[in-house]
Amino acid sequence: MKKLFFLLGIIFAGFANAQVQENKPIYYYNPDWSANGKQIVFESTKDGKFAIYTIQTDGTNLTKLTNGEFNDEQPRWSPDGKQIVFISDRDGHLQLYLMNADGLQQRRLTNAPDLDYLPDFSPDGKWVAFMSRKERTATLHDIYVIRTDGSDRTRLTDEATNEMSPRWSPNGEKVLFTRTDSFPKDVQDNFAKMSREERLKAIAKRNSSAEIFVMKKDGSDVRRLTNNDVSDDKTAWSKDGKTIYFVSERDGSRNIHAMKSDSSNVRIIADGTMVSDPNISRDGRFFAYTKEVNKKWGLYIYDIKSEKEQLLTGGI
């Protein structure tokens, strides 16, 4: 009888574990268009940890590029479509890596004690811009560039404010980014030691509204493009560099906006509650994005002109 109960216990535990695995959400994030517009690279937990995949824009040929033993995230295509830059914790903490478009020859790009992430290739494919911060709570993010051979790691911003999400202009002369106010230095130094109430008070005093800035590729001539009480972020350039796309709640709800590169002619072009964290195609015709519908995440594309949405993978 004891043996029977033991076996039933094993069976029940296995069933319960299977149920937990079955009910665990599968995530899809960070889509990016290939140079020819025929593929999208993205990250997903469909096979366990975050791994990187590609898929054709008609939803076919889903291909896994990294093995999922570690968290591999935030993929970005090179301008010629031959390489992908991404981040991974495979060596202990988040650093930048490069691989061929077929997933071969994966190699480490950055090697620093800091956390490096959100990479973006320069239009000539020779540099990667990224954001970095110290590996401790309440520290600032700064924007760096590095050559694709791993040399000339250079900080572009001044460590005085919180700069994030760099995006190269199509001509490679400028870098778009977002900025939020930083915590005062005494708060930064003592954040880990603060009580929960002290942390909430510090956060309440801080203006966390993200605004859009642009600077020259060497970090000079920083110019502010937006100024609101709500966040303007999730930026992207048009192919000709004349338009900047971003997400904002300035009109009372979350929408995709466009403006000229001098910050004039701001207008809504898509419903941001439906099109979540969009990445625009190189020809400016489509958004790729991920979102959750009925508790299931999926990868979608949206035709701006027809306002039609297509599910590529996941979501069911």
Side-chain angles (χ1 to χ4, degrees), residues 83-311:
Q83 293 188 93
I84 294 169
V85 63
F86 63 101
I87 68 169
S88 178
D89 62 2
R90 61 184 65 184
D91 290 310
H93 66 297
L94 292 177
Q95 295 286 278
L96 271 55
Y97 290 77
L98 287 171
M99 63 180 168
N100 294 349
D102 59 5
L104 299 178
Q105 295 187 23
Q106 297 180 21
R107 63 269 192 202
R108 187 167 177 169
L109 176 59
T110 59
N111 191 1
D114 303 334
L115 301 178
D116 298 337
Y117 43 106
L118 282 180
D120 192 49
F121 266 106
S122 64
D124 62 7
K126 296 179 180 179
W127 294 85
V128 173
F130 61 99
M131 54 188 277
S132 181
R133 72 170 177 85
K134 304 297 182 186
E135 196 169 0
R136 60 187 177 89
T137 308
T139 54
L140 298 175
H141 297 84
D142 269 297
I143 294 175
Y144 288 72
V145 293
I146 191 170
R147 289 187 184 273
T148 52
D149 64 2
S151 65
D152 293 340
R153 179 186 174 112
T154 305
R155 179 168 53 84
L156 299 186
T157 52
D158 59 8
E159 295 184 319
T161 48
N162 206 35
E163 282 93 7
M164 300 176 288
S165 304
R167 294 289 177 259
W168 290 92
S169 63
N171 64 7
E173 294 300 314
K174 297 178 181 178
V175 177
L176 196 65
F177 64 98
T178 59
R179 174 186 287 175
T180 60
D181 289 346
S182 62
F183 288 109
K185 191 174 186 307
D186 62 321
V187 174
Q188 295 176 42
D189 292 342
N190 294 291
F191 196 85
K193 303 174 185 177
M194 287 181 176
S195 66
R196 182 176 181 275
E197 290 73 19
E198 289 171 332
R199 291 182 183 181
L200 290 174
K201 286 181 181 179
I203 292 169
K205 289 181 180 179
R206 177 188 177 213
N207 176 14
S208 60
S209 170
E211 303 298 343
I212 301 171
F213 289 75
V214 68
M215 61 184 167
K216 290 184 178 178
K217 63 181 180 180
D218 62 359
S220 64
D221 192 23
V222 177
R223 293 187 296 114
R224 184 172 188 155
L225 299 180
T226 64
N227 190 358
N228 295 281
D229 293 332
V230 297
S231 291
D232 298 324
D233 54 15
K234 310 297 182 184
T235 58
W237 293 90
S238 65
K239 187 176 181 179
D240 61 9
K242 294 180 179 180
T243 302
I244 294 170
Y245 301 95
F246 63 99
V247 177
S248 178
E249 294 184 3
R250 59 176 62 196
D251 301 295
S253 61
R254 184 179 174 85
N255 288 300
I256 317 288
H257 292 70
M259 64 181 173
K260 290 185 177 180
S261 58
D262 63 1
S263 76
S264 64
N265 191 25
V266 180
R267 67 263 187 208
I268 296 173
I269 60 169
D271 181 354
T273 60
M274 184 176 78
V275 182
S276 174
D277 297 344
N279 186 302
I280 196 161
S281 60
R282 310 290 169 121
D283 59 11
R285 295 174 54 200
F286 302 94
F287 286 118
Y289 53 97
T290 65
K291 68 175 183 179
E292 184 183 23
V293 178
N294 296 325
K295 298 183 179 180
K296 292 185 181 294
W297 284 84
L299 171 65
Y300 298 78
I301 58 174
Y302 176 86
D303 187 316
I304 296 172
K305 186 175 181 179
S306 70
E307 299 183 351
K308 291 183 178 179
E309 179 181 68
Q310 176 188 354
L311 173 64

